[in-house]
Amino acid sequence: MRKIYHIIMLLVSLTFFWACETEGDRPVALTPNSFVLNTPIYVSGVYDLRNTETIQLTCSQPEYGFTAATTYRVQIATSNSFADFATLPTAYNRAKIDVNATDMALALIGLLGVTDEADFPTEPFPVYVRLSAELSDGSHQVLSNIIELPRVKSYFALDPMVMPENMYIIGNVAGAWNWDAATEMVPFNGTPGKFWAIQYLGQDGDGNNAEIKFNTAKAWDGGEFGMRTADIDDASRTLAGISGEDNIVIGNPGWYIVAVTTEISGRDYIYHVQFLAPNVYLTGPVSGGWDTFDEPRLFTVPALSLGADADFVSPAFVGASAGESDGGVRACIGLVLGEWWRSEFMVFNGTLVYRGNDSDQERVTGSVGQKLYINFTKKTGRIE
């Protein structure tokens, strides 16, 4: 009988203990002070991040009071004080962790504050590691101890900076602040990061002067640039009457050649913006000769009162094409940005086509007395 009594008391005690550790029908998690991150077996070797895929870490599970689904994240620092640290992007749900070596290399670039590959350390250096753990709902976060990897050989893991392939103009008269209607600038042939456009920068329907910005994507994605970040030369500021705090405000309404030249400086892009006179030239046999860009070969610029939907008109052709191979009718913006053929364009079946980064365009013939008409807004044109 005494034995039965002891068994009953033991069961009551266990029931009381479980009730203290549960809330309703589910356990109540404890919050431990820490948990153990083990020092790797091969810690004395060199961890070459360029030539390895992962670094293996193991740890004990935090003592939450029961077996719980736990999420682990890896934190690294270059000082054991962890005053400045980075949390790697991958989360893990096991106590055996294969740390992505590329993730670590990318994080170390930021921790070291290096912006140029030439400044990145070539010799191994110590890296300090700890884990954070939390329950699957994000609660009860706890940090492990810190371990040292004394010899980590890292590298400048960032992708090389590349020149933008596209450039767009948006504004109150350039797409009405709608990226779908923004002006796509033309690549300057064979010159990465350099773009141009013939752009109407007059006034909007309410009589407000043009305001514009640029971006390499047709989106408000944080990459857009204007007065605060564009480098605008003094001649352009004077010609166009530039002002503004964020948007570039055109104080002298009119037609312009707008050009953007991209420079890469470390991990930053510098955009040099120019506003130039809208000089469009006729060249080739119909202009009376090649490689001369003077006033007799200039297109007539539409009157500002006509707005954006108006034609540029060439001088009358003074020579006729002898055949398809002689160049016939050619048009460009002259030498203002470089060799003329890098900015040439032509009308084919009523459509304006820029050479851009494509190969030489097909030839178009013309007769004495004809003119070339181009609408840069609609991208249309004709010879008549």
Side-chain angles (χ1 to χ4, degrees), residues 280-283 286-287 294-300 312-318 329 367 369-373 384:
V280 177
Y281 294 93
L282 188 68
T283 189
V286 298
S287 73
D294 55 11
E295 189 170 347
R297 292 169 174 80
L298 273 173
F299 279 61
T300 300
F312 281 64
V313 183
S314 79
F317 301 167
V318 297
V329 185
S367 302
Q370 289 185 310
K371 295 181 179 181
L372 174 60
Y373 299 78
E384 61 181 33

Side-chain angles (χ1 to χ4, degrees), residues 31-364:
T31 302
N33 292 324
S34 185
F35 65 103
V36 177
L37 169 60
N38 301 312
T39 299
I41 297 174
Y42 304 107
V43 73
S44 61
V46 174
Y47 288 92
D48 187 346
L49 301 185
R50 186 190 293 275
N51 295 305
T52 189
E53 292 186 4
T54 59
I55 295 173
Q56 189 174 96
L57 301 175
T58 60
C59 66
S60 63
Q61 186 178 29
E63 293 292 341
Y64 286 121
F66 58 93
T67 302
T70 306
T71 299
Y72 301 96
R73 289 181 172 81
V74 180
Q75 298 179 349
I76 65 170
T78 55
S79 166
N80 62 3
S81 70
F82 263 77
D84 186 21
F85 68 91
T87 301
L88 303 190
T90 306
Y92 305 87
N93 55 20
R94 293 172 43 186
K96 181 180 178 182
I97 296 169
D98 290 321
V99 182
N100 185 289
T102 301
D103 287 348
M104 183 176 286
L106 288 168
L108 285 170
I109 292 172
L111 289 171
L112 294 171
V114 177
T115 58
D116 193 310
E117 186 171 6
D119 298 328
F120 199 84
T122 57
E123 296 299 319
F125 55 88
V127 173
Y128 300 89
V129 183
R130 71 185 180 192
L131 300 181
S132 71
E134 59 192 40
L135 296 179
S136 57
D137 63 1
S139 66
H140 295 76
Q141 186 181 72
V142 59
L143 297 174
S144 76
N145 58 300
I146 297 169
I147 64 167
E148 179 184 3
L149 306 180
R151 303 175 67 199
V152 174
K153 183 175 176 59
S154 192
Y155 64 103
F156 198 74
L158 293 174
D159 292 332
M161 296 285 283
V162 296
M163 288 293 186
E165 295 183 356
N166 301 291
M167 190 69 65
Y168 304 93
I169 305 172
I170 193 170
N172 58 341
V173 296
W177 299 112
N178 178 1
W179 283 113
D180 290 335
T183 297
E184 182 176 3
M185 301 187 74
V186 184
F188 193 69
N189 187 280
T191 313
K194 190 170 187 176
F195 305 88
W196 66 277
I198 303 287
Q199 185 69 48
Y200 173 76
L201 297 175
Q203 295 180 323
D204 64 15
D206 296 325
N208 300 310
N209 284 358
E211 299 185 24
I212 63 171
K213 295 178 99 166
F214 301 84
N215 200 354
T216 58
K218 298 174 78 170
W220 298 110
D221 60 0
E224 59 274 6
F225 58 95
M227 284 297 291
R228 290 194 179 100
T229 50
D231 172 43
I232 306 174
D233 62 82
D234 290 341
S236 296
R237 290 174 181 269
T238 299
L239 178 68
I242 298 296
S243 65
E245 296 182 1
D246 188 13
N247 299 332
I248 300 172
V249 180
I250 308 302
N252 300 326
W255 286 91
Y256 292 92
I257 294 173
V258 183
V260 175
T261 303
T262 310
E263 177 188 347
I264 294 174
S265 177
R267 301 300 298 177
D268 297 316
Y269 290 107
I270 301 174
Y271 298 108
H272 303 280
V273 177
Q274 293 174 279
F275 296 87
L276 306 162
N279 293 338
V280 177
Y281 294 93
L282 188 68
T283 189
V286 298
S287 73
W290 296 92
D291 300 325
T292 300
F293 304 100
D294 55 11
E295 189 170 347
R297 292 169 174 80
L298 273 173
F299 279 61
T300 300
V301 179
L304 189 59
S305 59
L306 297 177
D309 185 13
D311 292 336
F312 281 64
V313 183
S314 79
F317 301 167
V318 297
S321 301
E324 293 288 345
S325 63
D326 65 7
V329 185
R330 307 289 282 269
C332 63
I333 60 171
L335 303 175
V336 65
L337 297 179
E339 295 170 291
W340 70 266
W341 54 269
R342 297 183 186 276
S343 66
E344 70 174 315
F345 43 86
M346 188 42 57
V347 173
F348 300 95
N349 298 318
T351 299
L352 172 62
V353 179
Y354 296 99
R355 178 170 181 174
N357 276 325
D358 293 333
S359 56
D360 202 359
Q361 294 182 301
E362 294 182 10
R363 303 300 181 234
V364 173

